[in-house]
Amino acid sequence: MEFKAKEIADILGGVVEGNPEVTVTGFARIESGKPGTICFFANPKYEQYLYQCKADIIIVNKTFEPKEPVSATMVRVDDAYAAVASLLDYVTAKKRSYKRYRGCHSKVRWSAKVGKKVYVGDFAYVGRHAVVGDYTKIYEHVYIGDDVKIGSHCIIYPGVRIYPGCVIGNNVIIHANAVIGADGFGFAPLEDGTWKKIEHTGNVVIEDDVEIGANTCIDKSQMGSTLIRRGVKIDNLCQIAHNVEVGPDTVMASQTGVAGSSKIGRHCIIAGQVGIAGHITIADNTTIGAQAGVLGKVRKEGEVLMGSPAFPLKDFMRSYALFKRAGK
């Protein structure tokens, strides 16, 4: 990557303040910016670093008024945080190669349908009657089972396993070693104290624009489909059980576990290490704090929950104050 300040301003719809010809070749955090890099400044807590930063270009808000001289060329934009996200998207898109490639020892079954300019890495496997859309990248050591359908412009990183019959939409990113479509955890107790496995005959359906983190597992349904709706973002090391539905544009941080047949609404924010019990419904726009345990239905939209069992944040803070006093 090599960009001049004036090119960056054109991409972002910004204005250059300083040398428009200065060139950068990489990104850096504002605390550690060095010559040849570009940084961004959006949070006032980091203003002290702005005046010490050695980066050649800094993206700032148009409304920002520096208290001291800034040595770098500034590119002023409406929203610095959103602008750097757009610039990173632009750079990533330029780096991606969409040349058709069939890797060493990869195996694509004759009945599979593979679109144009699809990348299939070394030792990858694409099963019978699978469908892979245009411009999708399937990296090394990926397993795609029979009858899987994958849309266009997807990225399937190394080591991912997608079990037979699962459906993946367009613009989906699945990070390394995620497992999509393994059996759900279903066992029936027998009179002799042993457990009989309950077969799972469903699948997983992941809609468009979803991102799945590394080592995350999404189990197929017992019957029907486990559903991950459009725009969902799931972090690393999460567990989504059978027959769960995660609503559109919900985000879920690392080590969260969702038990079977629960339904999570749209635009929810679920922090790290949250546990969600089975067979419950969570209303739209719910925020669940880290390490909370949700044991019952959340009916009211827009609530913020904390604690285990989880309850509204204001009540939690009052209770916590009492807990602290009781311990003295």
Side-chain angles (χ1 to χ4, degrees):
M1 183 203 86
E2 183 173 299
F3 290 110
K4 293 181 178 180
K6 63 181 181 181
E7 293 175 302
I8 293 169
D10 288 341
I11 293 166
L12 302 178
V15 177
V16 176
E17 187 174 305
N19 180 8
E21 298 296 323
V22 67
T23 301
V24 294
T25 57
F27 291 87
R29 295 172 61 86
I30 197 165
E31 306 97 307
S32 54
K34 57 186 179 181
T37 63
I38 180 171
C39 301
F40 80 101
F41 167 69
N43 189 330
K45 291 194 299 185
Y46 293 87
E47 186 170 351
Q48 58 176 317
Y49 299 108
L50 178 68
Y51 308 116
Q52 307 163 10
C53 187
K54 303 299 182 185
D56 285 321
I57 300 174
I58 300 178
I59 299 171
V60 301
N61 293 328
K62 286 181 178 177
T63 56
F64 171 65
E65 295 293 338
K67 299 184 180 74
E68 300 176 26
V70 178
S71 61
T73 291
M74 291 190 288
V75 175
R76 291 186 174 272
V77 295
D78 292 329
D79 183 336
Y81 195 79
V84 77
S86 297
L87 185 60
L88 287 166
D89 284 344
Y90 180 85
V91 171
T92 302
K94 284 182 71 71
K95 285 181 177 179
R96 285 177 184 158
S97 169
Y98 287 110
K99 293 180 180 177
R100 185 178 179 91
Y101 175 77
R102 190 66 57 82
C104 173
H105 300 298
S106 65
K107 187 173 184 64
V108 178
R109 289 291 188 175
W110 67 268
S111 58
K113 295 181 179 179
V114 177
K116 62 184 180 182
K117 295 188 178 180
V118 169
Y119 177 101
V120 181
D122 297 348
F123 299 99
Y125 175 86
V126 180
R128 296 175 180 85
H129 305 291
V131 177
V132 181
D134 298 341
Y135 303 105
T136 284
K137 277 191 162 186
I138 298 166
Y139 278 92
E140 289 66 31
H141 295 279
V142 168
Y143 168 84
I144 295 172
D146 296 345
D147 300 303
V148 168
K149 292 181 174 60
I150 299 176
S152 61
H153 295 277
C154 294
I155 302 174
I156 315 297
Y157 280 105
V160 169
R161 304 295 190 255
I162 303 176
Y163 279 55
C166 291
V167 179
I168 313 295
N170 301 313
N171 303 307
V172 172
I173 300 172
I174 304 178
H175 287 277
N177 298 316
V179 178
I180 311 298
D183 284 355
F185 191 68
F187 299 89
L190 301 180
E191 290 183 1
D192 64 358
T194 60
W195 297 86
K196 177 176 175 57
K197 180 178 175 61
I198 299 172
E199 294 297 334
H200 286 65
T201 60
N203 70 347
V204 174
V205 175
I206 297 175
E207 295 184 347
D208 297 348
D209 304 313
V210 170
E211 184 157 354
I212 307 294
N215 293 299
T216 282
C217 297
I218 303 175
D219 294 343
K220 68 182 177 183
S221 58
Q222 189 173 345
M223 291 173 279
S225 299
T226 299
L227 298 172
I228 310 299
R229 297 295 189 186
R230 183 201 56 77
V232 168
K233 313 299 181 189
I234 300 176
D235 199 0
N236 305 327
L237 294 165
C238 291
Q239 161 65 24
I240 310 295
H242 54 201
N243 294 94
V244 165
E245 180 176 347
V246 182
D249 297 307
T250 283
V251 293
M252 184 182 300
S254 180
Q255 298 182 19
T256 287
V258 184
S261 300
S262 284
K263 184 174 181 179
I264 299 170
R266 64 174 61 237
H267 294 108
C268 293
I269 299 173
I270 302 171
Q273 296 188 332
V274 166
I276 297 174
H279 303 274
I280 66 172
T281 301
I282 295 176
D284 296 344
N285 301 301
T286 299
T287 298
I288 305 172
Q291 297 188 326
V294 184
L295 305 183
K297 185 175 182 179
V298 179
R299 295 179 173 83
K300 184 179 177 182
E301 290 189 20
E303 282 204 300
V304 180
L305 307 177
M306 285 286 291
S308 187
F311 56 108
L313 179 62
K314 287 183 180 179
D315 296 335
F316 175 84
M317 297 307 292
R318 283 195 287 265
S319 300
Y320 184 68
L322 292 173
F323 297 157
K324 286 182 72 175
R325 261 187 246 126
K328 292 180 180 179

